[in-house]
């Protein structure tokens, strides 16, 4: 995964562009710059969750053991997803304080990301409770798949239940990305950089899991 | 397979009602919580929204004390291996699902009259109220059956069951609370549609659980 090393160029570039090149939004002012970090973090948290779910399906379907350490990969992805989710919640809360006057008001978007965090917390609780269980991988992967099935329900239910203050509907009722060309470019670069960051970290953690596994195999052989 | 399901179900009820651990704890928890709310409120009546929130929160936490017990007991009493050898996967899952559904229904039969009596709840649309309770119960018990199987493998540790069930059951609780409020205020329009949502949700969850159960149950 040499391509992920592009992160060392892309991340400083996106930070530079977010603060120095992108203009402030008309109504929201300088606080709008948080969009270049908050949106990619939220995207990364969902990407990590979907990746964990798909890898979990592969783990359960892979009866011949064609792939190695799939359950560990799902766990590692969930770990990165959890960090991204917490950072997305914090950055969202800071932005909410600056534009709505309070850190938290159960906006549908805040609610959805909190539920995602609760699913991650539940998954890690189950993972740690099954520490010495041989079926740990199967049970944890089953839980992730089970949780993944319920997530789309929130996407349809929550917006029906609560009105949203989130900027998208306010700025454009048609729900299209109507940003200034410069802002849109920076947002896209930032989204790409955070996706790269996710894959870079995932690759790193998977390699650590692989080495750890090799070490344990050797240790138990001796 | 039907006879196997009913045999397992009969066995589960016999064992459960021999010591009544799960049902006693759940009913006692529900009774104490309802009384505590009524006592501390001191006769103050709540709005329909608050009443339905409290009703479902009481039902959710009472059920959490008992719904996982059906699988945890098999592991604690070391009868799970015997059950695995003796009954097919499908019959074990379906019998446990039916047990949980009946268990939740029994809980509701006890909790609801107590709640209505102590908190002076005025149900303006009893039919919708009943439908929401039954369909919500089906949705909760169908989601928690497989989660109970997962928790039993972890040794039924503390509140793990509540922690892993809560994010899954949130859509059910949300809709149930809104529909119960409608039933209390006699705004039945959307309420009947929501019972369909519960049945659809249960159908999806049962299908997925059915597919995943073998990965959890078979060692």
């Amino acid at each position: 995964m040499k391509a992920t090393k592009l992160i060392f160029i892309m991340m400083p570039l996106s930070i530079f562009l977010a603060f120095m090149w992108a203009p402030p939004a008309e109504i929201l002012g300088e606080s709008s710059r948080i969009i270049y970090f908050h949106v990619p973090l939220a995207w990364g948290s969902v990407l990590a969750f979907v990746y964990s779910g798909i890898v979990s399906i592969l783990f359960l379907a892979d009866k011949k053991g064609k792939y190695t350490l799939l359950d560990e990969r799902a766990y590692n992805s969930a770990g990165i997803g959890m960090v991204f989710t917490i950072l997305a919640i914090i950055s969202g809360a800071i932005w909410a304080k600056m534009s709505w006057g309070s850190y938290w008001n159960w906006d549908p978007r805040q609610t959805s990301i909190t539920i995602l965090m609760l699913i991650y917390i539940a998954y890690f609780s189950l993972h740690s409770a099954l520490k010495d269980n041989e079926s740990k991988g199967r049970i944890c992967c089953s839980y992730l798949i089970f949780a993944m099935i319920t997530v789309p329900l929130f996407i349809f239910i929550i917006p029906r239940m609560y009105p949203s203050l989130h900027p998208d509907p306010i700025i454009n009722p048609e729900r299209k990305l109507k940003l200034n060309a410069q802002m849109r470019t920076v947002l896209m670069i930032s989204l790409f950089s955070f996706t790269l960051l996710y894959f870079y970290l995932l690759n790193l953690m998977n390699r650590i899991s692989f080495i750890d596994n090799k070490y344990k195999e050797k240790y138990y052989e001796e | 397979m039907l006879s196997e399901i009913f045999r397992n179900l009969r066995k589960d009820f016999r064992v459960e009602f021999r010591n009544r651990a799960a049902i006693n704890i759940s009913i006692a928890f529900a009774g104490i919580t309802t009384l505590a709310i009524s006592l501390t409120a001191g006769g103050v009546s709540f709005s329909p929204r608050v009443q339905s929130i409290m009703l479902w929160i009481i039902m959710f936490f009472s059920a959490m004390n008992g719904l996982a017990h059906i699988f945890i007991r098999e592991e604690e009493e070391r009868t799970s291996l015997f059950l695995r050898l003796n009954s097919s996967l499908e019959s074990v899952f379906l019998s446990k699902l039916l047990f949980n559904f009946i268990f939740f229904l029994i809980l509701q039969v006890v909790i609801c009259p107590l709640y209505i009596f102590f908190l002076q709840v005025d149900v303006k649309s009893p039919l919708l109220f009943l439908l929401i309770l039954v369909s919500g119960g089906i949705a909760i018990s169908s989601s928690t059956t497989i989660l109970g199987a997962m928790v039993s493998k972890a040794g039924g540790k503390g509140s793990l069951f509540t922690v892993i069930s809560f994010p899954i059951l949130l859509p059910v609780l949300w809709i149930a609370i809104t529909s119960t409020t409608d039933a209390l205020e006699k705004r039945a329009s959307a309420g009947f549609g929501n019972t369909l949502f519960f049945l659809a949700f249960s159908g999806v969850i049962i299908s997925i659980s059915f597919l995943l159960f073998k990965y959890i149950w078979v060692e």
Side-chain angles (χ1 to χ4, degrees), chain B residues 37 74 110 171:
Chain B
I37 293 170
E74 301 286 0
V110 177

Side-chain angles (χ1 to χ4, degrees), chain A residues 60-61 63 111 115 118-119 121-123 125-126 128-131 133 135 138-139 142-143 145-147 149-150 153-154 157-158 160-162, chain B residues 49 143 146-147 150-151 153-154 157 160 163-168 170-171 174-175 178 194 197 201 204-205 208-209 212 214-216 218-219:
Chain A
L60 295 184
K63 282 173 187 153
T111 313
I115 290 162
L118 285 177
I119 292 174
I121 290 172
Y123 170 73
S125 308
L126 187 66
S128 53
L130 289 162
K131 203 179 172 190
N133 196 309
S135 328
R138 277 186 291 148
I139 296 173
S142 302
Y143 182 75
I145 298 167
F146 196 65
I149 301 299
T150 54
L153 290 170
F154 292 109
I157 292 166
I158 298 167
R160 277 178 60 197
M161 312 257 322
Y162 303 101
Chain B
R49 179 82 184 165
S143 328
I146 194 155
L147 298 175
M150 289 178 191
V151 167
K153 298 288 174 192
K157 285 179 184 122
L160 181 66
V163 172
I164 68 167
S165 304
F166 189 65
I168 310 282
L170 261 176
W174 253 318
I175 299 285
T178 313
N194 288 339
F197 164 79
F201 178 87
V204 172
I205 290 293
I208 297 295
S209 306
L212 293 174
K214 70 173 171 189
Y215 298 106
I216 296 159
V218 180
E219 283 181 349

Side-chain angles (χ1 to χ4, degrees), chain B:
Chain B
M1 187 159 109
L2 262 180
S3 65
E4 226 176 87
I5 293 170
F6 286 115
R7 198 184 61 209
N8 281 336
L9 196 62
R10 213 169 33 240
K11 186 262 306 175
D12 282 335
F13 271 104
R14 221 172 260 167
V15 176
E16 183 55 46
F17 283 92
R18 207 173 280 159
N19 60 10
R20 292 181 291 275
I23 194 109
N24 277 352
I25 292 169
S26 298
I27 290 175
F29 180 87
I32 288 166
T33 322
T34 311
L35 278 175
I37 293 170
S38 176
L39 196 71
T40 46
V44 175
S45 61
F46 299 111
S47 68
R49 179 82 184 165
V50 177
Q51 280 174 338
S52 45
I53 289 172
M54 285 195 297
L55 175 66
W56 280 97
I57 293 291
I58 292 172
M59 281 202 282
F60 173 75
F61 282 102
S62 310
M64 288 301 110
N65 284 317
L67 286 175
H69 187 73
I70 189 75
F71 278 109
I72 292 172
R73 197 191 56 220
E74 301 286 0
E75 296 294 331
E76 277 176 356
E77 294 176 1
R78 298 177 192 279
T79 49
S80 59
L81 182 64
F82 181 73
L83 197 62
R84 263 194 290 274
L85 294 172
N86 244 314
S87 306
S88 65
L89 261 174
E90 294 80 14
S91 68
V92 172
F93 177 73
L94 290 174
S95 61
K96 303 289 186 201
L97 176 72
L98 275 174
F99 179 88
N100 272 352
F101 172 57
I102 299 168
F103 179 87
F104 199 78
L105 213 61
I106 295 171
L107 263 184
Q108 287 180 320
V109 166
V110 177
I111 295 171
C112 290
L114 264 180
Y115 190 82
I116 290 171
F117 178 75
F118 279 110
L119 286 153
Q120 301 138 49
V121 181
D122 183 18
V123 185
K124 297 216 170 91
S125 176
L127 178 67
L128 177 63
F129 186 69
L130 268 177
L131 275 174
I132 292 297
L133 283 180
V134 174
S135 53
I138 295 173
I140 289 180
S141 46
S142 52
S143 328
T144 47
T145 304
I146 194 155
L147 298 175
M150 289 178 191
V151 167
S152 71
K153 298 288 174 192
K157 285 179 184 122
S159 354
L160 181 66
F161 185 54
T162 315
V163 172
I164 68 167
S165 304
F166 189 65
I168 310 282
L169 289 177
L170 261 176
V172 176
L173 288 175
W174 253 318
I175 299 285
I177 288 166
T178 313
S179 309
T180 311
T181 314
D182 288 345
L184 298 183
E185 289 177 336
K186 209 175 182 174
R187 280 184 301 162
S189 53
F192 289 107
N194 288 339
T195 56
L196 285 179
F197 164 79
F198 286 138
L199 296 178
F201 178 87
S202 310
V204 172
I205 290 293
I206 291 171
S207 321
I208 297 295
S209 306
F210 208 75
L211 288 171
L212 293 174
F213 187 63
K214 70 173 171 189
Y215 298 106
I216 296 159
W217 185 243
V218 180
E219 283 181 349

Side-chain angles (χ1 to χ4, degrees), chain A:
Chain A
M1 295 282 272
K2 281 183 183 170
T4 54
K5 287 192 178 156
L6 260 177
I7 187 69
F8 295 110
I9 300 166
M10 292 308 293
M11 195 48 92
L13 179 72
S14 4
I15 295 170
F16 176 79
L17 292 176
F19 285 105
M20 308 304 287
W21 191 61
E26 265 179 33
I27 308 161
L28 303 168
E30 293 295 333
S31 69
S32 67
R33 291 186 198 280
I34 212 161
I35 191 183
Y36 309 117
F37 305 98
H38 171 67
V39 176
L41 281 167
W43 153 249
S45 62
V46 177
L47 178 71
F49 183 66
V50 173
Y51 181 90
S52 297
I54 293 169
V55 168
S56 299
I57 295 172
L58 270 177
F59 176 76
L60 295 184
D62 183 29
K63 282 173 187 153
K64 289 177 185 167
K66 202 172 153 191
Y67 304 101
T68 50
L69 298 173
L70 283 174
D71 55 334
E72 285 290 323
R73 284 169 203 233
Y75 179 77
N76 292 340
S77 175
I80 302 166
M82 178 78 183
V83 176
F84 273 37
T85 309
I86 293 170
L87 291 175
I89 289 174
I90 294 170
S91 57
I94 294 169
W95 189 86
K97 176 71 179 170
M98 288 190 288
S99 50
W100 303 334
S102 71
Y103 286 109
W104 203 261
N105 36 38
W106 290 113
D107 183 84
R109 309 284 164 98
Q110 285 180 325
T111 313
S112 336
I113 199 126
T114 310
I115 290 162
L116 191 64
M117 189 180 71
L118 285 177
I119 292 174
Y120 278 135
I121 290 172
Y123 170 73
F124 289 120
S125 308
L126 187 66
H127 198 275
S128 53
L130 289 162
K131 203 179 172 190
D132 301 316
N133 196 309
E134 281 178 8
S135 328
K136 183 176 82 176
R138 277 186 291 148
I139 296 173
C140 290
C141 286
S142 302
Y143 182 75
L144 269 181
I145 298 167
F146 196 65
M148 201 168 70
I149 301 299
T150 54
V151 165
L153 290 170
F154 292 109
I155 297 166
F156 296 109
I157 292 166
I158 298 167
R160 277 178 60 197
M161 312 257 322
Y162 303 101
S164 178
L165 288 170
H166 206 269
D168 277 357
I170 292 173
I171 292 175
N172 54 81
E174 312 94 78
R175 301 195 173 195
K176 282 179 186 166
L177 195 66
K178 275 189 185 170
L179 285 173
N180 162 314
Q182 259 174 299
M183 289 168 86
R184 193 187 306 165
T185 311
V186 179
L187 181 64
M188 289 303 157
I189 291 172
S190 196
L191 274 169
F192 179 67
S193 305
F194 275 84
T195 310
L196 270 181
L197 178 68
Y198 163 71
F199 282 110
Y200 177 75
L201 291 174
L202 183 67
N203 187 34
L204 213 61
M205 287 174 78
N206 286 345
R207 279 165 61 195
I208 293 169
S209 297
F210 185 74
I211 294 166
D212 190 46
N213 198 50
K214 279 270 175 204
Y215 170 76
K216 275 179 191 160
E217 270 176 16
K218 206 174 175 187
Y219 177 78
Y220 285 119
E221 266 175 24
E222 282 170 7

